[in-house]
Amino acid sequence: MAEGKTEGLAGLWHRPAPEGRGPVRYGPPAPEPGLPVLPELTSVLAAAADRPAPEPPGGGQSLREAACRHWARRGLPTAPENVAAGPGAPALLLALLGAYGGDVLLPRPCPAWWTPQVRLLGRRAYHVPTPAECGGVPDPYALLETVRRIRAEGGDPQVLLLSVADDPTASVPPPEMLREACEAAEAAGLFVVSDESWRDTVHRPHDTLVLSPAEMLPDRAAVLVDLAGALLPAGWPAAVVRFPGTPSGTWLRARTLDVLTATGALVAGPVAVAAAHALDETDAVAGRAYAAAALHGAVAAAAHRELLAAGALARPPQAGRHLYADLTPLRAGLARHGVADAMELEDWLGARLGTPTPGGQRFADELGALRVRLSTGPLLGATPQERLTALGARDPLTLPQVRGALDRLGSVLAGLAD
């Protein structure tokens, strides 16, 4: 793509830079649920709207205690002094990595915002291939070899970032694969940061076992949760991180709070009240999260069938509000439209579907591989009311707006067949 090209919806992420500078890029946001805010949460936020002060650095006691209860229900007993909160996962991860130091290893592909965080700190980011079975975690053998090579070349690998429910691949690492990755990280002397923001968006929670590295490496793993994953709207930024209950974990939390203080990364007072309420998972909050995950799972599965029918590839989506499609088998058809790489694919496909479809290069994937992340939110309908109707439908796939969006996807893909 030529510098400054802005055709199509995806082109909005490429803006021409001032003369003499490289292009300024805006990465794609995480997929939105596309649903109206839960009224109960709106009421809680409104009741706290007169709080003029932000939370202290790392969050107040009430918010941190709610996070502890949240983790305890997931088998991770936690003390408030081992928790910190921040205004969203990016701010919190930036503070944590800034406090820990060293180079960072990440799976390929990985969330679009991870690599910029590392590079913003002036650290090196090394991407490790994922196993064939899933995304979110590095292949353990490739991880060990990468660490060996980095150190041989004078690098300083210290941290492994991974996710137990992955954006962009929408997959959940099997327990044995996660365990092998954690064992490799321990053997390499790496500290693990587990992004578990999408953990509570698993489509079939009774059939999918989700484990945390903190269960396997209690002294060498931190857990990061962005509440926009399942519990809060993205416009109310709040995230929490769980540190190991060890002297080194206490030191890391203190250093992280130093960075949060220096950068002014504080949770707004009213948002903190809503976040604590969401973390306590009342019946309404938990019910909305469960219903939303089931809805997005049903639509993602239908979109997955459309992809396979057209000859494209994709892992079966297991979590989140998206799926990761590989259109490489349709390369000849795409070439007829002048599409030769992932950057061109995101523009071309986004324009035809009427919604952003970020290419794999956004997620540290190979530019030449024709991969995109497709979000399920836009498939639920064009208005909040249509999407709320889909949430309450016995079979959302029979709704005209959902069926129409899926048919549009299938039609676009079918036009690429040889």
Side-chain angles (χ1 to χ4, degrees):
M1 181 186 297
E3 181 175 329
K5 180 179 178 182
T6 58
E7 294 93 322
L9 290 172
L12 292 175
W13 297 324
H14 294 269
R15 303 297 178 95
E19 187 173 350
R21 299 184 183 181
V24 177
R25 291 183 174 86
Y26 298 85
E32 294 278 356
L35 300 170
V37 179
L38 186 67
E40 180 176 300
L41 290 175
T42 302
S43 298
V44 170
L45 185 77
D50 61 351
R51 289 187 54 172
E55 293 282 281
Q61 187 77 9
S62 296
L63 177 54
R64 289 184 286 116
E65 288 178 348
C68 292
R69 293 189 290 270
H70 176 86
W71 276 309
R73 291 190 294 273
R74 287 152 183 79
L76 289 176
T78 308
E81 60 268 22
N82 297 325
V83 176
L92 209 45
L93 180 63
L94 186 72
L96 193 159
L97 293 178
Y100 199 90
D103 299 329
V104 181
L105 294 108
L106 315 91
R108 182 192 299 275
C110 67
W113 58 278
W114 280 7
T115 305
Q117 294 276 309
V118 178
R119 291 177 176 163
L120 184 62
L121 291 167
R123 312 278 172 72
R124 292 183 176 89
Y126 296 94
H127 296 93
V128 183
T130 56
E133 296 88 340
C134 63
V137 299
D139 177 271
Y141 300 103
L143 176 64
L144 291 172
E145 175 57 25
T146 302
V147 170
R148 184 201 63 77
R149 176 177 53 81
I150 295 170
R151 287 178 175 151
E153 295 173 356
D156 183 31
Q158 293 291 336
V159 177
L160 169 65
L161 273 177
L162 55 77
S163 57
V164 300
D166 186 45
D167 171 22
T169 66
S171 61
V172 175
E176 64 274 11
M177 192 61 64
L178 179 64
R179 184 173 299 279
E180 290 177 7
C182 288
E183 289 174 349
E186 184 177 32
L190 302 176
F191 184 78
V192 175
V193 178
S194 176
D195 185 348
E196 302 185 6
S197 301
W198 296 97
R199 176 173 182 159
D200 293 321
T201 66
V202 170
H203 302 157
R204 299 171 64 89
H206 299 299
D207 301 328
T208 308
L209 179 60
V210 183
L211 298 180
S212 172
E215 300 175 62
M216 306 170 190
L217 302 174
D219 297 340
R220 296 193 61 81
V223 176
L224 177 67
V225 177
D226 194 320
L227 273 62
L231 299 175
L232 286 182
W236 304 1
V240 289
V241 61
R242 176 189 187 273
F243 295 92
T246 63
S248 60
T250 299
W251 173 88
L252 180 58
R253 179 181 182 274
R255 289 285 294 118
T256 299
L257 296 189
D258 287 343
V259 180
L260 292 172
T261 302
T263 57
L266 311 176
V267 182
V271 171
V273 175
H277 185 86
L279 284 165
D280 274 332
E281 297 173 296
T282 63
D283 289 345
V285 171
R288 165 61 75 86
Y290 182 87
L295 170 62
H296 285 281
V299 175
H304 184 250
R305 291 192 289 271
E306 297 286 352
L307 287 165
L308 298 187
L313 303 173
R315 293 187 179 99
Q318 296 176 281
R321 304 183 280 263
H322 56 280
L323 51 113
Y324 198 54
D326 186 349
L327 274 58
T328 301
L330 306 178
R331 185 178 291 277
L334 287 166
R336 293 196 298 269
H337 297 277
V339 176
D341 62 29
M343 292 179 70
E344 294 172 343
L345 176 60
E346 75 173 28
D347 273 350
W348 183 86
L349 189 59
R352 278 148 187 82
L353 295 180
T355 184
T357 56
Q361 83 284 354
R362 306 283 182 184
F363 311 102
D365 215 336
E366 299 173 9
L367 177 61
L370 297 171
R371 300 188 184 113
V372 293
R373 186 185 70 188
L374 301 175
S375 296
T376 51
L379 302 177
L380 304 181
T383 67
Q385 185 55 49
E386 285 185 343
R387 295 173 180 184
L388 198 59
T389 299
L391 182 68
R394 182 181 298 274
D395 183 2
L397 302 183
T398 63
L399 295 175
Q401 71 270 20
V402 177
R403 190 67 260 164
L406 289 168
D407 288 345
R408 186 181 311 115
L409 172 63
S411 176
V412 170
L413 295 173
L416 300 174
D418 291 332

